């Protein structure tokens, strides 16, 4: 189901189940960016939202579903004048976000993994996971410009 409303006073809503294919997942963000542009979101918010979305969709497909072609990912997005929500649910076993080591730790600087989760938390206004760990909900507030830590 895809619901797209043109009036900027009305929320833009999108919901689609996709196969475990990163190219399909990456294409979906274009509609959200258009909706944000129509609602006069600042360019920095568009950039950060796209970056967080890309990290989350790739994590769901690669790590959650293990690129299994028999599994799908549910993508839900809503854009309002001042707030947007992205929810991505995979069919994997989930994970414990608290168990992801901080990639900024001295002994992890050259170890891959964990940077996407950190990045999402740094650039979105709110991030939450379901109890299983196979669903991420990200919220961005227009103009919320969190400072990225060094």
């Amino acid at each position: 189901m895809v619901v797209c409303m043109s009036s900027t006073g009305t929320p833009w809503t999108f919901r689609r189940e996709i196969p475990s294919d990163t190219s399909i997942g990456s294409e979906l963000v274009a509609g959200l960016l258009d909706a944000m542009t129509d609602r006069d979101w600042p360019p920095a918010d568009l950039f950060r939202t796209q970056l967080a979305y890309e990290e989350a969709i790739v994590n769901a497909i690669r790590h959650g579903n293990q690129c299994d072609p028999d599994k799908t990912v549910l993508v839900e997005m809503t854009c309002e004048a001042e707030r947007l929500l992205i929810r991505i649910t995979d069919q994997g076993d989930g994970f414990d976000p608290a168990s992801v080591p901080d990639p900024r730790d001295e002994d992890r600087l050259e170890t891959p993994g964990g940077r996407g989760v950190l990045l999402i938390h740094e650039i979105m206004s709110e991030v939450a996971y379901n109890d299983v760990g196979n669903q991420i909900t990200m919220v961005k507030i227009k103009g919320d410009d969190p400072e990225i830590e060094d």
Side-chain angles (χ1 to χ4, degrees):
M1 174 180 91
V2 177
V3 178
C4 300
M5 300 179 186
S6 59
S7 170
T8 57
T10 307
W12 173 88
T13 306
F14 178 92
R15 184 179 195 274
R16 184 166 164 203
E17 193 168 274
I18 63 166
S20 294
D21 181 329
T22 56
S23 65
I24 294 171
S26 293
E27 292 171 1
L28 300 183
V29 75
L32 176 61
L33 297 175
D34 288 345
M36 292 172 73
T37 300
D38 289 347
R39 287 157 181 80
D40 298 319
W41 281 67
D45 284 349
L46 273 75
F47 174 77
R48 289 182 176 111
T49 298
Q50 181 174 6
L51 191 57
Y53 170 84
E54 292 284 348
E55 288 292 337
I57 196 72
V58 167
N59 284 348
I61 292 168
R62 288 191 183 156
H63 300 295
N65 285 354
Q66 303 290 308
C67 296
D68 184 338
D70 295 327
K71 292 183 178 180
T72 60
V73 176
L74 178 61
V75 178
E76 300 169 279
M77 299 183 277
T78 301
C79 181
E80 300 171 345
E82 301 292 324
R83 180 182 184 273
L84 68 84
L85 178 137
I86 301 169
R87 179 171 294 126
I88 298 173
T89 309
D90 63 60
Q91 295 180 325
D93 295 334
F95 79 112
D96 176 6
S99 72
V100 177
D102 189 332
R104 298 170 295 186
D105 289 345
E106 190 66 35
D107 62 335
R108 305 243 349 128
L109 291 177
E110 300 198 25
T111 304
R115 286 171 181 74
V117 172
L118 173 69
L119 182 67
I120 290 168
H121 282 270
E122 292 288 329
I123 62 179
M124 296 302 281
S125 303
E126 300 170 26
V127 179
Y129 297 89
N130 68 355
D131 289 341
V132 176
N134 70 335
Q135 179 184 82
I136 184 170
T137 301
M138 302 177 288
V139 173
K140 185 74 178 160
I141 304 299
K142 184 189 258 182
D144 180 24
D145 191 13
E147 291 186 27
I148 308 262
E149 294 180 22
D150 293 328

